[in-house]
């Protein structure tokens, strides 16, 4: 998925832009991906808590929809991130 140019006009922090770009680069044709926050943090060279905060802010700005995934045994898995088209 290509990052829309409009994203740069939304006055996002560089952290939010980096995380958003990473998620876009991993998204399928439906705009969905499910990397763990640890994977994202390693890829963008940030602390996991920084990534977590950026994801929450992106969700608050309606750029992401986050859905908790569950394993068959009832445990939690990585989140599903759905990128909203702007």
């Amino acid at each position: 998925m290509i990052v829309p140019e409009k994203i740069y006009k939304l006055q996002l922090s560089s952290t939010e832009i980096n995380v958003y770009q990473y998620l876009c680069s991993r998204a399928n044709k439906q705009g969905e991906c499910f990397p763990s926050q640890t994977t994202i943090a390693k890829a963008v060279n940030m602390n996991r808590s920084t990534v977590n905060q950026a994801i929450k802010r992106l969700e608050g700005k309606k750029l992401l929809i986050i859905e908790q995934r569950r394993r068959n045994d009832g445990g939690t898995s990585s989140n599903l991130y759905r990128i909203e088209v702007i």
Side-chain angles (χ1 to χ4, degrees):
M1 177 175 204
I2 297 173
V3 177
E5 191 172 324
K6 293 177 187 178
I7 197 74
Y8 301 107
K9 297 178 183 177
L10 296 177
Q11 298 181 347
L12 302 177
S13 70
S14 59
T15 300
E16 292 166 334
I17 290 171
N18 283 338
V19 171
Y20 187 82
Q21 287 177 321
Y22 178 79
L23 293 173
C24 285
S25 75
R26 297 294 180 234
N28 61 20
K29 291 180 182 180
Q30 292 76 36
E32 299 175 341
C33 60
F34 44 89
S36 70
Q37 289 185 5
T38 300
T39 298
I40 298 167
K42 286 179 183 177
V44 297
N45 198 29
M46 292 180 196
N47 186 288
R48 186 181 173 281
S49 64
T50 303
V51 168
N52 186 329
Q53 292 169 5
I55 287 171
K56 287 179 182 179
R57 289 192 304 267
L58 291 168
E59 181 183 33
K61 294 175 181 180
K62 308 290 189 220
L63 295 173
L64 290 178
I65 294 175
I66 302 170
E67 183 179 316
Q68 179 64 61
R69 297 185 324 138
R70 299 263 176 210
R71 293 188 173 106
N72 290 337
D73 65 5
T76 59
S77 184
S78 62
N79 291 329
L80 171 70
Y81 301 104
R82 187 171 294 116
I83 298 166
E84 291 296 289
V85 178
I86 55 173

